[in-house]
Structure formats: structure tokens, C-alpha cells
Amino acid sequence: MLATERNEIELTSPNGVAKGGTATFKIPQGLRIHALRIEHTGTLADYTEIRVKANTETIRRVSFTEQNMMNLTDKLPSAGTLGYLLVPFDKVGSRIRESEEETALNVGRPAGMEPQPNEITNAEVQIDIDAGMTAEPSLKIWATVSNALPGGAGAVRHIVKTSRNAGGAGELDIQDLDFNKPNRMFIRRLFLKTTKVTRYKVKRDDRIIFDRSKVLNDGAIKEGGYREQQADWSLIDKSENGYGGTRFDTRGAQSFRLQLDFSGAEPSFPLIVEYIGALVA
């Protein structure tokens, strides 16, 4: 259901805004969160991690710098241009608004309604602040919201960061990504902090469902016109053409593998996977 009215509110009374601390902002009940805008002092690097928690589930965990990279990939202005860091929950860059709003964070339920199955009863934003930042830390968060919908959490964007190690030239076979769970039903895209991948393969139940050289993948992203791959990063994006319903379906799969051909060693590179699924497994 589309939001008929969007409003702007400030998330007030944060705790822990201090060098070396973790700032915590509570998200009010009864609202659907489409985006957050974070005003901050210092640089992006001063804020080492942002986590969004819904009940006990961490649904997003990236640094300010990584969130800015993801925004630029979606052809959004940089934090430096805007004067704040944008944190979208909607799948921005979709051709269809219904698809874009599918993953707005649905916190609570409409006023007067009975508790809903799989409802988010507590949501907050946590921001880790570097102890060595030069400026005095200051944070304000503004949220674009609409009224909560019935039906619980609904579809949730889970942004999961891990790291991998490519010991040298050759194939890196990643077999331990989460898949075929309620909160890991679909993989929308993957960000890899490396430019040494020469070929990308995705296998589901030992069948190849995605196979591109680097040249082909880079060209297809440009061809789609909705994404812009960022320097030092590689992207596999099933929604590169702006169709939000296009993604890797892992439901019922017995195996799911990401096979990457590397031109050389790439130690401990970050891998960010964006899933769409239920709130919890």
C-alpha cells in the first residue's frame, strides 16, 4: 500500500553522543520509516558504524562511508553535497513506486488496532563514534515517515556485512552466505570492496544462474542506467534495470554459491549483501 502522506519528524533525545561512544536514537511506534537523514559534525570516517535494530534483529550494519557509497551507487547525491548522510529504507531507484516503498520499515501498527503478528515493538538507530575524532561529535536524525500499516513488519531490507579473503589469483568459492531462511529469502545485490574480480558466477543448487565477465557486468550496470558502480567497489545487482522485483530467489534452495575469479590477492575485503525477507529467521 502506498503512503498517501509523508511527514518529516526529528528523532529526539539521543543517548551516548560522545567520542568513543555509541549514540542511540529511538524510532517511534506507529510509523513507517522511508528514510533517515543524519546531520553530523566531523567526517564520515568519524562514524565507524551505523546499526538499525528492530526488536532483537540487526537489520543494517555498515559504516557512514559505506552507506554513502551505496547511496552513490543508487545515483543519490553524496553526503558532502547534501550536508547530511541519507539512510534510505525504501528501495530507491526503482521504476515502480509500490516496489520502492515495499521495504519501508513498518514500526508498530495503526492506532487502535490489536497487536499484529511479527510486529516491530522496538526500533532504534545506533551510531558508533570514533574516539579519536577531532571535532566535537554532534548528531541529529530526521525521518521521513508515513502511518504504519497493519500486518506486522512486512518485507524488510537486511544489509549484512562480512569479509572474505582471496589468497591469490584464481577462483574464490563462497558457500557460506545465508540463504533459504524467512529473513534471507531474496538477495537483491552484493557489494564487494575489490576491483580484482574478473568473472562473477552465482550458482543455486549447482546450476549457474548468473555468469558475467567484469567487462560484461560493468557494461550491463551502465546499460541499465539506474546504478553507478563506485571506485574501489564491484557490484552484482539484480535490480540494475530499476525493476525492484528482480532478485536472486533462494527459497527452497539446497545450496547457494558465489564464485569469483580474482586476478590477484585481495586480503580481508568487505562483502555487503542486501537481502529482502521477513524480520526474523
Side-chain angles (χ1 to χ4, degrees):
M1 184 184 297
L2 290 174
T4 56
E5 179 178 285
R6 292 190 179 201
N7 299 306
E8 308 293 328
I9 65 169
E10 183 180 1
L11 305 186
T12 57
S13 305
N15 297 313
V17 182
K19 294 179 181 181
T22 298
T24 302
F25 293 77
K26 292 289 186 181
I27 297 175
Q29 293 284 302
L31 296 174
R32 225 172 151 215
I33 313 301
H34 297 275
L36 303 175
R37 292 169 177 83
I38 305 177
E39 291 186 84
H40 61 88
T41 54
T43 67
L44 294 176
D46 289 328
Y47 300 92
T48 55
E49 188 166 280
I50 176 171
R51 293 178 297 280
V52 179
K53 301 199 73 172
N55 296 344
T56 58
E57 188 82 4
T58 299
I59 62 171
R60 182 179 307 231
R61 185 176 71 86
V62 290
S63 68
F64 270 31
T65 300
E66 288 164 342
Q67 181 64 62
N68 191 57
M69 176 277 298
M70 295 168 71
N71 294 347
L72 290 168
T73 299
D74 287 327
K75 295 192 170 183
L76 297 168
S78 70
T81 299
L82 294 172
Y84 54 82
L85 178 67
L86 178 65
V87 182
F89 291 90
D90 288 355
K91 292 179 295 177
V92 294
S94 296
R95 293 176 187 253
I96 302 169
R97 188 179 163 198
E98 286 87 348
S99 175
E100 188 165 292
E101 289 193 2
E102 175 192 21
T103 54
L105 187 64
N106 198 50
V107 181
R109 59 187 184 273
M113 186 168 283
E114 293 294 316
Q116 302 289 291
N118 303 312
E119 180 180 318
I120 298 174
T121 57
N122 180 66
E124 64 183 29
V125 180
Q126 300 174 348
I127 299 171
D128 291 343
I129 304 169
D130 195 302
M133 73 177 290
T134 303
E136 193 61 31
S138 175
L139 290 161
K140 288 185 178 182
I141 299 183
W142 310 85
T144 300
V145 302
S146 58
N147 291 331
L149 298 177
V156 176
R157 285 176 78 187
H158 295 263
I159 298 176
V160 180
K161 182 172 69 171
T162 60
S163 63
R164 293 295 188 274
N165 179 61
E171 183 183 89
L172 176 63
D173 190 358
I174 300 174
Q175 304 183 39
D176 59 349
L177 294 177
D178 282 340
F179 67 95
N180 190 26
K181 297 177 180 179
N183 61 345
R184 302 289 188 263
M185 288 190 284
F186 304 103
I187 295 177
R188 183 181 178 223
R189 55 188 180 177
L190 305 96
F191 299 85
L192 305 89
K193 194 172 185 182
T194 177
T195 56
K196 295 182 180 178
V197 179
T198 59
R199 187 168 181 172
Y200 309 84
K201 285 184 186 177
V202 176
K203 287 185 176 180
R204 182 179 57 213
D205 294 337
D206 294 323
R207 177 188 172 199
I208 297 172
I209 57 174
F210 184 93
D211 186 0
R212 284 179 178 173
S213 67
K214 174 177 171 53
V215 171
L216 185 64
N217 191 61
D218 291 355
I221 291 168
K222 293 174 184 175
E223 187 184 312
Y226 281 78
R227 308 286 182 256
E228 189 170 313
Q229 202 163 213
Q230 297 302 298
D232 302 324
W233 289 83
S234 298
L235 175 68
I236 302 172
D237 191 342
K238 288 292 283 184
S239 63
E240 64 195 5
N241 292 307
Y243 293 112
T246 307
R247 43 219 179 180
F248 294 113
D249 189 345
T250 78
R251 293 173 300 176
Q254 299 302 304
S255 66
F256 192 89
R257 299 165 69 175
L258 175 63
Q259 296 178 327
L260 307 169
D261 288 352
F262 276 81
S263 60
E266 189 72 276
S268 299
F269 66 91
L271 170 62
I272 299 172
V273 184
E274 181 178 328
Y275 294 94
I276 297 175
L279 178 62
V280 295

